[in-house]
Amino acid sequence: MTSALRHVTIDCSDAYALAGFWSEVLGRPRHEDDRPGDEEALIEDAGLLFVTVPEAKKGKNRIHFDLQPQDRTREEEVERLLALGATLVDDHRRPDGTGWAVLADPEGNEFCVERSAAERAAG
């Protein structure tokens, strides 16, 4: 027998708020039972569970998400995510269009934005 990955659990200081950010990023709703102040919040369609913990984030993530825009360019997606509250942490975008951008969510969890499939296909 094997195991199935049920959720990726993310410790945070405000589960409902951080799940709201990622809900907007991924275009997937928080679970209908989640409310502000809840200790846990779930984006079921994405398998992401956010859990409120007392300690703050320390250091660089040991695991992170790599996002690939589906209906826009990497640049458009980076701008959209910055408007949602992300911050630019490190920029690996190159003049030839390759590379990626490292952003952080409102609680400082790093993630990358890569080129879309269309951008990759174009070269």
Side-chain angles (χ1 to χ4, degrees):
M1 301 272 315
T2 61
S3 294
L5 184 61
R6 182 159 182 231
H7 298 120
V8 174
T9 302
I10 301 164
D11 291 350
C12 54
S13 63
D14 185 338
Y16 186 81
L18 194 57
F21 170 82
W22 283 100
S23 174
E24 290 293 323
V25 169
L26 301 172
R28 303 276 190 255
R30 278 182 290 228
H31 192 277
E32 62 188 27
D33 294 337
D34 292 338
R35 301 285 178 264
D38 285 353
E39 301 241 339
E40 296 180 357
L42 176 65
I43 303 175
E44 196 163 25
D45 292 351
L48 297 178
L49 176 64
F50 299 85
V51 178
T52 300
V53 297
E55 58 274 359
K57 177 185 180 295
K58 296 177 187 166
K60 185 176 186 273
N61 296 7
R62 297 292 302 254
I63 187 171
H64 69 269
F65 303 127
D66 288 339
L67 303 180
Q68 184 180 47
Q70 299 300 297
D71 60 354
R72 59 184 58 95
T73 67
R74 178 191 59 210
E75 304 313 314
E76 292 167 333
E77 184 67 349
V78 167
E79 291 305 315
R80 183 181 81 88
L81 298 174
L82 292 172
L84 288 175
T87 55
L88 183 64
V89 174
D90 203 2
D91 198 338
H92 296 275
R93 295 174 284 186
R94 297 183 193 104
D96 67 358
T98 60
W100 64 94
V102 180
L103 279 67
D105 70 18
E107 292 206 11
N109 300 300
E110 299 91 0
F111 62 97
C112 295
V113 181
E114 300 178 350
R115 294 181 299 159
S116 69
E119 289 173 300
R120 287 176 183 273

